[in-house]
Protein backbone atom coordinates (compact mmCIF):
# COMPACT_ATOMS: atom_id res chain seq x y z
CA UNK A 1 0.00 0.00 0.00
CA UNK A 2 1.28 3.50 -0.89
CA UNK A 3 1.73 6.29 1.63
CA UNK A 4 -1.36 8.10 0.31
CA UNK A 5 -3.53 5.13 1.27
CA UNK A 6 -4.11 3.88 -2.29
CA UNK A 7 -3.91 0.10 -2.53
CA UNK A 8 -3.54 -1.10 -6.16
CA UNK A 9 -4.61 -4.59 -5.12
CA UNK A 10 -8.24 -3.49 -4.64
CA UNK A 11 -8.70 -2.47 -8.30
CA UNK A 12 -11.45 -4.78 -9.52
CA UNK A 13 -13.26 -5.63 -12.70
CA UNK A 14 -16.61 -3.81 -12.49
CA UNK A 15 -18.15 -6.39 -14.78
CA UNK A 16 -18.11 -8.79 -11.85
CA UNK A 17 -21.71 -9.21 -10.65
CA UNK A 18 -20.65 -9.80 -7.05
CA UNK A 19 -18.71 -6.53 -6.89
CA UNK A 20 -21.62 -4.67 -8.48
CA UNK A 21 -23.97 -6.14 -5.91
CA UNK A 22 -21.69 -5.16 -3.03
CA UNK A 23 -21.35 -1.59 -4.30
CA UNK A 24 -25.10 -1.32 -4.74
CA UNK A 25 -25.67 -2.54 -1.20
CA UNK A 26 -23.09 -0.12 0.18
CA UNK A 27 -24.64 2.80 -1.67
CA UNK A 28 -28.16 1.93 -0.56
CA UNK A 29 -27.32 1.48 3.12
CA UNK A 30 -24.72 4.23 3.53
CA UNK A 31 -26.65 6.88 1.60
CA UNK A 32 -29.84 6.02 3.47
CA UNK A 33 -28.00 6.36 6.77
CA UNK A 34 -26.58 9.72 5.70
CA UNK A 35 -29.95 11.01 4.46
CA UNK A 36 -31.70 9.89 7.64
CA UNK A 37 -29.08 11.60 9.79
CA UNK A 38 -29.35 14.92 7.95
CA UNK A 39 -33.16 14.83 8.09
CA UNK A 40 -33.44 13.87 11.76
CA UNK A 41 -30.35 15.55 13.25
CA UNK A 42 -29.72 18.67 11.21
CA UNK A 43 -32.29 20.27 8.94
CA UNK A 44 -35.90 19.58 9.92
CA UNK A 45 -37.63 20.85 13.10
CA UNK A 46 -39.44 18.55 15.51
CA UNK A 47 -43.18 19.06 15.87
CA UNK A 48 -42.99 18.57 19.66
CA UNK A 49 -41.02 21.75 20.36
CA UNK A 50 -40.56 23.38 16.94
CA UNK A 51 -36.76 23.22 17.23
CA UNK A 52 -33.93 21.81 15.18
CA UNK A 53 -31.31 19.83 17.16
CA UNK A 54 -28.78 22.68 17.14
CA UNK A 55 -31.38 25.15 18.47
CA UNK A 56 -32.49 22.71 21.18
CA UNK A 57 -28.89 22.15 22.27
CA UNK A 58 -28.22 25.88 22.39
CA UNK A 59 -31.24 26.46 24.62
CA UNK A 60 -30.25 23.51 26.82
CA UNK A 61 -26.70 24.83 27.19
CA UNK A 62 -28.02 28.34 27.96
CA UNK A 63 -30.25 26.90 30.71
CA UNK A 64 -27.25 25.16 32.27
CA UNK A 65 -25.35 28.46 32.21
CA UNK A 66 -28.27 30.62 33.31
CA UNK A 67 -27.71 32.75 36.41
CA UNK A 68 -29.76 35.74 35.27
CA UNK A 69 -26.75 37.53 33.78
CA UNK A 70 -25.61 37.90 30.18
CA UNK A 71 -23.04 35.41 28.86
CA UNK A 72 -20.60 35.92 26.02
CA UNK A 73 -21.90 34.23 22.88
CA UNK A 74 -18.47 32.61 22.44
CA UNK A 75 -18.92 31.03 25.88
CA UNK A 76 -22.41 29.77 25.00
CA UNK A 77 -21.09 28.31 21.74
CA UNK A 78 -18.30 26.52 23.61
CA UNK A 79 -20.73 24.96 26.09
CA UNK A 80 -23.09 23.91 23.30
CA UNK A 81 -20.25 22.02 21.62
CA UNK A 82 -20.55 19.47 24.45
CA UNK A 83 -23.83 18.42 22.83
CA UNK A 84 -23.54 19.42 19.16
CA UNK A 85 -20.82 17.66 17.11
CA UNK A 86 -20.83 19.93 14.05
CA UNK A 87 -18.53 22.78 14.99
CA UNK A 88 -18.75 26.28 16.38
CA UNK A 89 -19.75 28.10 13.17
CA UNK A 90 -23.13 26.34 12.85
CA UNK A 91 -23.85 26.95 16.56
CA UNK A 92 -22.98 30.65 16.32
CA UNK A 93 -25.17 31.17 13.24
CA UNK A 94 -28.12 29.35 14.82
CA UNK A 95 -27.76 31.38 18.04
CA UNK A 96 -27.67 34.66 16.10
CA UNK A 97 -30.88 33.68 14.32
CA UNK A 98 -32.55 32.88 17.65
CA UNK A 99 -31.37 36.19 19.08
CA UNK A 100 -32.59 38.21 16.12
CA UNK A 101 -36.10 36.81 16.57
CA UNK A 102 -36.03 38.12 20.17
CA UNK A 103 -38.61 35.69 21.57
CA UNK A 104 -36.40 33.21 23.43
CA UNK A 105 -33.09 35.05 23.72
CA UNK A 106 -32.31 38.50 25.08
CA UNK A 107 -29.35 40.12 23.35
CA UNK A 108 -26.72 42.72 24.09
CA UNK A 109 -24.33 44.24 21.56
CA UNK A 110 -24.35 44.31 17.77
CA UNK A 111 -26.53 41.42 16.61
CA UNK A 112 -26.78 42.65 13.03
CA UNK A 113 -29.81 43.92 11.18
CA UNK A 114 -32.30 41.53 9.61
CA UNK A 115 -33.67 44.34 7.43
CA UNK A 116 -30.36 45.33 5.81
CA UNK A 117 -28.66 41.93 6.03
CA UNK A 118 -25.82 43.35 8.15
CA UNK A 119 -24.09 40.54 10.05
CA UNK A 120 -23.71 40.31 13.81
CA UNK A 121 -20.43 41.00 15.58
CA UNK A 122 -18.10 38.13 16.49
CA UNK A 123 -19.14 35.91 19.36
CA UNK A 124 -16.49 37.36 21.68
CA UNK A 125 -18.12 40.82 21.47
CA UNK A 126 -21.83 40.08 21.91
CA UNK A 127 -23.80 38.62 24.80
CA UNK A 128 -27.04 36.75 25.36
CA UNK A 129 -29.24 35.24 28.04
CA UNK A 130 -32.56 33.41 28.10
CA UNK A 131 -35.65 35.61 28.04
CA UNK A 132 -38.19 35.36 30.83
CA UNK A 133 -40.62 33.93 28.27
CA UNK A 134 -38.17 31.10 27.50
CA UNK A 135 -37.64 30.35 31.19
CA UNK A 136 -41.41 30.20 31.73
CA UNK A 137 -42.51 28.08 28.76
CA UNK A 138 -39.55 26.07 27.41
CA UNK A 139 -38.20 24.07 30.39
CA UNK A 140 -39.55 21.46 32.79
CA UNK A 141 -36.99 18.78 33.74
CA UNK A 142 -39.65 16.59 35.40
CA UNK A 143 -41.40 15.87 32.09
CA UNK A 144 -38.35 15.97 29.82
CA UNK A 145 -37.14 12.83 28.07
CA UNK A 146 -33.35 12.65 28.12
CA UNK A 147 -30.76 10.92 25.96
CA UNK A 148 -26.97 10.73 25.99
CA UNK A 149 -25.01 13.29 23.98
CA UNK A 150 -22.98 12.24 20.94
CA UNK A 151 -19.93 11.26 23.03
CA UNK A 152 -21.89 9.68 25.88
CA UNK A 153 -20.57 12.12 28.49
CA UNK A 154 -23.64 14.33 29.01
CA UNK A 155 -27.41 14.11 28.91
CA UNK A 156 -29.44 16.25 26.55
CA UNK A 157 -33.22 16.57 26.00
CA UNK A 158 -34.82 14.51 23.24
CA UNK A 159 -37.28 17.41 22.91
CA UNK A 160 -37.99 20.34 25.19
CA UNK A 161 -41.48 20.43 26.82
CA UNK A 162 -42.42 23.77 25.25
CA UNK A 163 -45.85 25.07 26.28
CA UNK A 164 -46.23 27.28 23.20
CA UNK A 165 -46.24 26.51 19.43
CA UNK A 166 -42.77 27.86 18.66
CA UNK A 167 -42.88 26.17 15.26
CA UNK A 168 -45.64 28.53 14.10
CA UNK A 169 -44.31 31.59 15.88
CA UNK A 170 -40.74 31.75 14.60
CA UNK A 171 -41.11 29.63 11.46
CA UNK A 172 -38.44 27.27 10.18
CA UNK A 173 -36.45 26.58 7.06
CA UNK A 174 -34.10 23.74 6.22
CA UNK A 175 -32.81 21.70 3.31
CA UNK A 176 -32.17 18.01 3.96
CA UNK A 177 -31.44 15.10 1.60
CA UNK A 178 -34.41 14.52 -0.66
CA UNK A 179 -36.75 16.92 1.12
CA UNK A 180 -36.93 20.41 2.55
CA UNK A 181 -38.95 22.32 5.12
CA UNK A 182 -40.27 25.88 4.93
CA UNK A 183 -42.69 26.93 7.65
CA UNK A 184 -43.69 30.59 7.66
CA UNK A 185 -43.77 32.65 10.89
CA UNK A 186 -47.04 33.79 12.46
CA UNK A 187 -48.16 36.61 14.73
CA UNK A 188 -47.74 35.89 18.46
CA UNK A 189 -51.13 37.28 19.54
CA UNK A 190 -52.96 35.57 16.66
CA UNK A 191 -51.39 32.23 17.68
CA UNK A 192 -52.70 32.70 21.24
CA UNK A 193 -56.20 33.51 19.96
CA UNK A 194 -56.12 30.49 17.63
CA UNK A 195 -54.93 28.22 20.46
CA UNK A 196 -57.80 29.37 22.70
CA UNK A 197 -60.29 28.77 19.87
CA UNK A 198 -58.81 25.32 19.22
CA UNK A 199 -59.09 24.32 22.88
CA UNK A 200 -62.71 25.45 22.89
CA UNK A 201 -63.45 23.47 19.73
CA UNK A 202 -64.20 26.61 17.76
CA UNK A 203 -63.33 27.38 14.15
CA UNK A 204 -60.37 29.68 13.59
CA UNK A 205 -58.24 31.07 10.77
CA UNK A 206 -54.49 31.60 11.06
CA UNK A 207 -52.34 33.14 8.34
CA UNK A 208 -48.59 33.91 8.24
CA UNK A 209 -47.33 37.23 9.53
CA UNK A 210 -43.88 38.69 8.91
CA UNK A 211 -41.63 40.89 11.05
CA UNK A 212 -40.52 42.68 7.85
CA UNK A 213 -44.10 43.83 7.23
CA UNK A 214 -45.56 44.17 3.75
CA UNK A 215 -48.78 42.86 2.23
CA UNK A 216 -49.71 39.20 1.79
CA UNK A 217 -52.08 37.49 -0.65
CA UNK A 218 -53.35 34.26 0.96
CA UNK A 219 -55.93 33.31 -1.69
CA UNK A 220 -53.82 30.25 -2.65
CA UNK A 221 -52.37 29.55 0.81
CA UNK A 222 -54.01 26.09 1.02
CA UNK A 223 -53.80 26.20 4.83
CA UNK A 224 -50.01 25.96 4.66
CA UNK A 225 -49.99 22.52 3.05
CA UNK A 226 -47.94 21.47 0.03
CA UNK A 227 -49.08 23.10 -3.19
CA UNK A 228 -50.02 26.35 -1.50
CA UNK A 229 -48.47 29.70 -2.44
CA UNK A 230 -48.46 33.10 -0.77
CA UNK A 231 -47.64 36.32 -2.59
CA UNK A 232 -45.88 39.04 -0.60
CA UNK A 233 -45.52 42.69 -1.58
CA UNK A 234 -43.42 45.50 -0.20
CA UNK A 235 -45.13 48.64 1.07
CA UNK A 236 -44.35 51.53 -1.30
CA UNK A 237 -45.36 55.09 -0.45
CA UNK A 238 -45.30 58.25 -2.55
CA UNK A 239 -43.28 61.06 -1.01
CA UNK A 240 -43.89 63.28 -4.04
CA UNK A 241 -44.20 62.86 -7.82
CA UNK A 242 -40.47 62.22 -8.16
CA UNK A 243 -39.76 60.18 -5.02
CA UNK A 244 -40.94 56.83 -3.68
CA UNK A 245 -40.22 55.24 -0.28
CA UNK A 246 -40.21 51.50 0.37
CA UNK A 247 -41.03 51.26 4.09
CA UNK A 248 -41.75 47.53 4.43
CA UNK A 249 -40.04 44.71 2.53
CA UNK A 250 -41.04 41.14 1.60
CA UNK A 251 -40.17 38.32 4.00
CA UNK A 252 -36.89 36.62 3.16
CA UNK A 253 -35.44 39.70 1.48
CA UNK A 254 -33.15 42.44 2.78
CA UNK A 255 -32.88 46.04 1.67
CA UNK A 256 -29.54 45.12 0.06
CA UNK A 257 -31.04 42.36 -2.11
CA UNK A 258 -34.08 44.55 -2.84
CA UNK A 259 -31.90 47.43 -4.08
CA UNK A 260 -29.83 45.01 -6.16
CA UNK A 261 -32.98 43.77 -7.92
CA UNK A 262 -34.09 47.39 -8.54
CA UNK A 263 -30.72 48.29 -10.07
CA UNK A 264 -30.84 45.21 -12.31
CA UNK A 265 -34.34 46.13 -13.50
CA UNK A 266 -33.16 49.65 -14.27
CA UNK A 267 -30.16 48.36 -16.23
CA UNK A 268 -32.50 46.09 -18.20
CA UNK A 269 -34.72 49.06 -19.07
CA UNK A 270 -37.69 47.76 -17.08
CA UNK A 271 -38.00 50.82 -14.83
CA UNK A 272 -36.87 54.43 -15.13
CA UNK A 273 -35.20 55.68 -11.96
CA UNK A 274 -32.41 58.14 -11.22
CA UNK A 275 -30.95 56.59 -8.04
CA UNK A 276 -31.72 54.52 -4.93
CA UNK A 277 -30.72 55.29 -1.33
CA UNK A 278 -30.90 52.99 1.69
CA UNK A 279 -31.77 54.95 4.83
CA UNK A 280 -32.81 51.89 6.82
CA UNK A 281 -32.33 51.96 10.58
CA UNK A 282 -34.77 50.41 13.00
CA UNK A 283 -37.33 50.38 10.19
CA UNK A 284 -36.94 49.84 6.44
CA UNK A 285 -36.58 53.03 4.41
CA UNK A 286 -35.42 52.68 0.80
CA UNK A 287 -35.77 55.90 -1.21
CA UNK A 288 -36.25 55.60 -4.98
CA UNK A 289 -35.69 58.76 -7.05
CA UNK A 290 -37.48 58.80 -10.41
CA UNK A 291 -36.29 60.28 -13.68
CA UNK A 292 -38.00 63.53 -14.75
CA UNK A 293 -41.31 62.96 -16.51
CA UNK A 294 -41.72 59.41 -15.13
CA UNK A 295 -45.10 58.36 -13.77
CA UNK A 296 -44.88 57.34 -10.11
CA UNK A 297 -47.91 55.03 -10.46
CA UNK A 298 -46.39 53.19 -13.43
CA UNK A 299 -43.07 52.93 -11.58
CA UNK A 300 -44.78 51.34 -8.59
CA UNK A 301 -46.43 48.79 -10.91
CA UNK A 302 -43.03 48.11 -12.53
CA UNK A 303 -41.35 47.66 -9.14
CA UNK A 304 -43.88 44.99 -8.25
CA UNK A 305 -43.59 43.33 -11.67
CA UNK A 306 -39.82 43.33 -12.23
CA UNK A 307 -38.10 43.50 -8.83
CA UNK A 308 -38.14 41.76 -5.46
CA UNK A 309 -40.79 44.19 -4.26
CA UNK A 310 -43.12 41.25 -4.94
CA UNK A 311 -42.19 37.62 -4.27
CA UNK A 312 -44.02 34.32 -4.12
CA UNK A 313 -43.29 31.74 -1.42
CA UNK A 314 -44.40 28.12 -1.37
CA UNK A 315 -44.70 26.85 2.22
CA UNK A 316 -43.62 23.26 2.79
CA UNK A 317 -44.61 22.10 6.26
CA UNK A 318 -42.24 19.19 6.79
CA UNK A 319 -41.63 18.26 10.46
CA UNK A 320 -40.20 15.38 12.48
CA UNK A 321 -42.95 13.45 14.26
CA UNK A 322 -42.36 10.11 15.99
CA UNK A 323 -38.81 10.10 14.64
CA UNK A 324 -39.94 10.34 10.99
CA UNK A 325 -40.50 13.23 8.57
CA UNK A 326 -44.15 14.07 7.96
CA UNK A 327 -45.80 16.72 5.81
Amino acid sequence: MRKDGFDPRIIVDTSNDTIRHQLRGMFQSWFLDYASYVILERAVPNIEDGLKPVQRRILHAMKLLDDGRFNKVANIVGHTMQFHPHGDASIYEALVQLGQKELLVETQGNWGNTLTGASAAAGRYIEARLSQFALDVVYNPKVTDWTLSYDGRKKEPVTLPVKFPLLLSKGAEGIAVGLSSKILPHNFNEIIDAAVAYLRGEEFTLYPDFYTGGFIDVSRYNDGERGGVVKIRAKIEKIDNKTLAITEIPYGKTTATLIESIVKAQEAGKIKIRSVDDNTGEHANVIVYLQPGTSSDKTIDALYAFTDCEVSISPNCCVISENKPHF
Side-chain angles (χ1 to χ4, degrees):
M1 180 177 289
R2 299 189 333 209
K3 291 182 179 179
D4 60 2
F6 176 78
D7 189 346
R9 293 172 298 175
I10 65 171
I11 297 178
V12 296
D13 181 3
T14 54
S15 63
N16 185 294
D17 290 338
T18 303
I19 296 298
R20 278 209 303 262
H21 178 71
Q22 289 176 350
L23 291 174
R24 186 183 301 114
M26 289 161 56
F27 175 81
Q28 288 175 341
S29 61
W30 291 357
F31 187 78
L32 183 60
D33 289 344
Y34 166 70
S36 299
Y37 180 80
V38 174
I39 291 169
L40 298 176
E41 296 294 330
R42 300 289 293 273
V44 182
N46 194 299
I47 195 171
E48 297 294 331
D49 56 10
L51 300 169
K52 297 180 184 180
V54 64
Q55 297 170 328
R56 187 179 303 114
R57 289 161 179 159
I58 288 170
L59 294 174
H60 175 56
M62 291 184 72
K63 185 65 169 68
L64 295 178
L65 289 170
D66 182 60
D67 59 1
R69 300 165 61 189
F70 283 98
N71 283 288
K72 289 282 188 182
V73 163
N75 188 28
I76 297 171
V77 170
H79 275 76
T80 307
M81 288 182 71
Q82 298 176 89
F83 310 103
H84 193 66
H86 301 298
D88 59 321
S90 61
I91 299 171
Y92 167 78
E93 291 170 4
L95 178 52
V96 168
Q97 290 179 0
L98 283 174
Q100 288 175 339
K101 292 178 180 177
E102 299 180 346
L103 184 63
L104 302 176
V105 177
E106 290 185 18
T107 62
Q108 189 165 271
N110 176 19
W111 281 69
N113 190 323
T114 55
L115 293 175
T116 64
S119 58
R124 61 187 178 274
Y125 299 123
I126 56 179
E127 298 177 320
R129 67 182 176 190
L130 291 172
S131 68
Q132 189 59 51
F133 176 82
L135 292 169
D136 289 341
V137 307
V138 173
Y139 304 98
N140 189 339
K142 293 181 180 179
V143 295
T144 301
D145 291 329
W146 300 89
T147 186
L148 289 174
S149 61
Y150 69 94
D151 61 2
R153 288 190 173 95
K154 302 280 185 178
K155 284 187 177 181
E156 62 174 309
V158 176
T159 58
L160 289 168
V162 181
K163 300 188 287 288
F164 178 82
L166 288 177
L167 187 66
L168 293 178
S169 175
K170 64 182 183 55
E173 188 169 351
I175 300 175
V177 179
L179 55 82
S180 64
S181 179
K182 192 175 186 70
I183 300 166
L184 301 180
H186 295 70
N187 181 278
F188 185 93
N189 292 331
E190 291 175 359
I191 290 174
I192 297 295
D193 292 339
V196 171
Y198 174 80
L199 291 172
R200 290 174 173 171
E202 300 170 354
E203 293 291 327
F204 65 91
T205 302
L206 186 63
Y207 292 123
D209 193 11
F210 308 114
Y211 60 87
T212 54
F215 304 99
I216 183 172
D217 177 0
V218 294
S219 59
R220 297 173 55 200
Y221 181 50
N222 195 30
D223 209 23
E225 297 182 1
R226 279 191 293 181
V229 177
V230 295
K231 191 178 291 185
I232 307 166
R233 279 187 166 186
K235 184 177 181 180
I236 305 177
E237 300 176 352
K238 289 184 188 179
I239 297 178
D240 53 47
N241 290 334
K242 297 180 180 179
T243 314
L244 303 175
I246 302 173
T247 56
E248 296 176 9
I249 63 176
Y251 174 71
K253 300 296 179 181
T254 65
T255 55
T257 59
L258 190 66
I259 290 173
E260 183 181 356
S261 72
I262 293 172
V263 171
K264 286 184 177 178
Q266 183 217 10
E267 292 173 347
K270 302 292 186 181
I271 56 176
K272 295 180 180 180
I273 62 172
R274 187 159 47 89
S275 62
V276 185
D277 287 340
D278 190 356
N279 298 330
T280 300
E282 185 179 354
H283 303 287
N285 188 20
V286 177
I287 307 298
V288 181
Y289 299 98
L290 309 184
Q291 292 181 5
T294 303
S295 167
S296 57
D297 290 330
K298 289 184 178 179
T299 302
I300 291 175
D301 292 340
L303 286 170
Y304 285 136
F306 303 116
T307 75
D308 287 344
C309 287
E310 179 178 299
V311 298
S312 294
I313 297 179
S314 298
N316 189 28
C317 190
C318 179
V319 295
I320 302 300
S321 178
E322 298 179 351
N323 215 34
K324 292 181 182 178
H326 291 274
F327 290 93

